Every structure is written in structure tokens, then in C-alpha cells.
Amino acid sequence: MTLRAVIWDMGGVIVRTHDHSRRSRWEARLGLSPNALEGMVFRGEAGEKAALGKIGPEEVWTWILGQLGLPPEERMRLEEDFWAGDRVDGDLVGYIRSLRPRYLTGLLSNAWTDLRHFLEVEWKIADAFDAIVISAEVGMAKPDPAIFDLALRQLGVRAEETVFVDDMQENVMAAQTLGLRGVLFQTPKQAIEAVRSFLAEPS
């Protein structure tokens, strides 16, 4: 089966946290274990609702403040510090762009309603993708097979014609169950080499 498309995850792949120091300072101040703040934001009750579009980002941070016992005036600094260490991998985006027009490119992200704004306005990388599927906009999230089916339909390809890259094992396994070729992201170099191997392109 000829491969026609590569679908990429966003958080942990294209955007990664390079500096945890500001998050760590909050955790130390609040007596939290390492990475507890990240878990609370993304995998807490509010974060999971936001990923399905049931609430917005502001409601997530209101919930976080309540869980931590912090006053509303701390919200802006906490939010700013939480995201401060995140960076878009420009080289990886460059590689994704280089795949076109030989291959279709997709973005499939479990993310909140504000992601599209960042893709289009802040980071200006939305044009690197032929299709963008954001969980909060469609009301379903990986590893639900339905969201993979939606991404495939938007690209106009079959599962067997597609490579999927994600940093979460359960999402890669879900994609493989549907027939996509799966790449578990560890580093940009490793992921690019794995994609090239599937596409039978030289390193």
C-alpha cells in the first residue's frame, strides 16, 4: 500500500517543554511532587473537560486555582509561568513542510479550544498542515478511534496509507489497531528517521 499522508501530534512532539524551572518553583512553593502541576493541568478533571470542548481555558485555570488554594490574582502569573518553558520545534515543522506536496500532512491534537489561535496567529504554522483536528473542537479525543477516522476523512486517505506520530504509547497503539503505521515520538531525530523509513525516503 502506497503511503500518502503523515499525521502529527502537537503537545510533546511539535511543541515540547524545554525548561521546567518555572513549573518546578511553583511545585516547590506549594509542596507538590515533581510534574504534579502538569498532571493537574492536562489530566485533571478540568483539563480533560477542556480537551473535549466542554469548558474553556479560563475555566481550567479557575479550577486549578481552587485546587491549589490560590487567590484569583495569582492566575495570570501561574499561567504564564506554566507555559514559559514550551517551545515550537521549528526544525521539525520545517521537516513537516518538506513532506508536501509529495505527502499530505495532518495535525491531530488533544488540546483546548485556544490551540487554533496559537497555530494560526501566534506560531503561524497552521499552513504546514492539510488538515487540523483539535479534540476540543470536535468533542472527542485520542485514543478514541472516531477521532482518527475523522482525521483520515479530512485528509481523504485510508488508514493503511497513513503514518501517525505521537508521544503517547496508547495513542500510537490505537492508531496501529486501525491500520495506521505508528511512530512513538522520543526525539525529533528518531521520529524523522522512523517516518522516513516508512516512506522509504533517504535519511
Side-chain angles (χ1 to χ4, degrees), residues 41-89:
V41 171
F42 293 122
R43 294 179 293 280
E45 175 186 339
E48 291 186 349
K49 286 183 178 179
L52 292 173
K54 295 179 178 179
I55 63 174
E58 289 199 7
E59 293 166 283
V60 175
W61 290 105
T62 298
W63 181 85
I64 294 291
L65 291 177
Q67 294 296 302
L68 297 175
L70 295 172
E73 54 267 25
E74 294 255 44
R75 180 248 167 121
M76 189 169 294
R77 189 161 66 93
L78 174 60
E79 185 177 355
E80 180 180 323
D81 285 347
F82 184 83
W83 301 117
D86 285 10
R87 299 287 182 274
V88 174
D89 189 330

Side-chain angles (χ1 to χ4, degrees):
M1 179 67 68
T2 301
L3 293 172
R4 299 177 54 208
V6 185
I7 299 176
W8 301 81
D9 176 37
M10 175 56 70
V13 177
I14 296 171
V15 174
R16 303 190 304 279
T17 305
H18 292 266
D19 181 0
H20 292 82
S21 61
R22 292 203 196 179
R23 294 183 190 176
S24 297
R25 284 198 288 271
W26 280 95
E27 288 165 346
R29 170 189 161 186
L30 297 168
L32 301 173
S33 58
N35 302 315
L37 189 56
E38 180 178 332
M40 185 177 293
V41 171
F42 293 122
R43 294 179 293 280
E45 175 186 339
E48 291 186 349
K49 286 183 178 179
L52 292 173
K54 295 179 178 179
I55 63 174
E58 289 199 7
E59 293 166 283
V60 175
W61 290 105
T62 298
W63 181 85
I64 294 291
L65 291 177
Q67 294 296 302
L68 297 175
L70 295 172
E73 54 267 25
E74 294 255 44
R75 180 248 167 121
M76 189 169 294
R77 189 161 66 93
L78 174 60
E79 185 177 355
E80 180 180 323
D81 285 347
F82 184 83
W83 301 117
D86 285 10
R87 299 287 182 274
V88 174
D89 189 330
D91 291 339
L92 184 54
V93 174
Y95 172 70
I96 294 169
R97 292 184 190 279
S98 77
L99 291 171
R100 304 164 74 200
R102 303 186 314 282
Y103 302 96
L104 296 166
T105 59
L107 180 71
L108 178 54
S109 179
N110 286 358
W112 304 348
T113 53
D114 56 355
L115 176 58
R116 192 171 292 272
H117 168 80
F118 281 94
L119 292 170
E120 295 177 350
V121 179
E122 302 292 335
W123 304 329
K124 295 180 172 59
I125 62 172
D127 63 314
F129 305 98
D130 295 291
I132 296 173
V133 177
I134 299 169
S135 63
E137 294 182 350
V138 299
M140 49 189 168
K142 298 174 291 186
D144 185 344
I147 198 169
F148 289 98
D149 288 339
L150 176 60
L152 293 171
R153 289 200 306 274
Q154 288 198 8
L155 287 169
V157 296
R158 296 166 58 184
E160 296 79 7
E161 299 173 317
T162 308
V163 180
F164 173 68
V165 184
D166 198 291
D167 65 320
M168 301 292 290
Q169 181 72 58
E170 64 176 344
N171 296 336
V172 173
M173 291 177 65
Q176 291 172 326
T177 299
L178 294 172
L180 292 84
R181 318 292 176 91
V183 174
L184 180 62
F185 181 93
Q186 297 170 340
T187 68
K189 183 175 185 294
Q190 162 267 331
I192 289 172
E193 288 179 352
V195 170
R196 283 176 171 160
S197 178
F198 276 128
L199 301 179
E201 294 200 328
S203 299

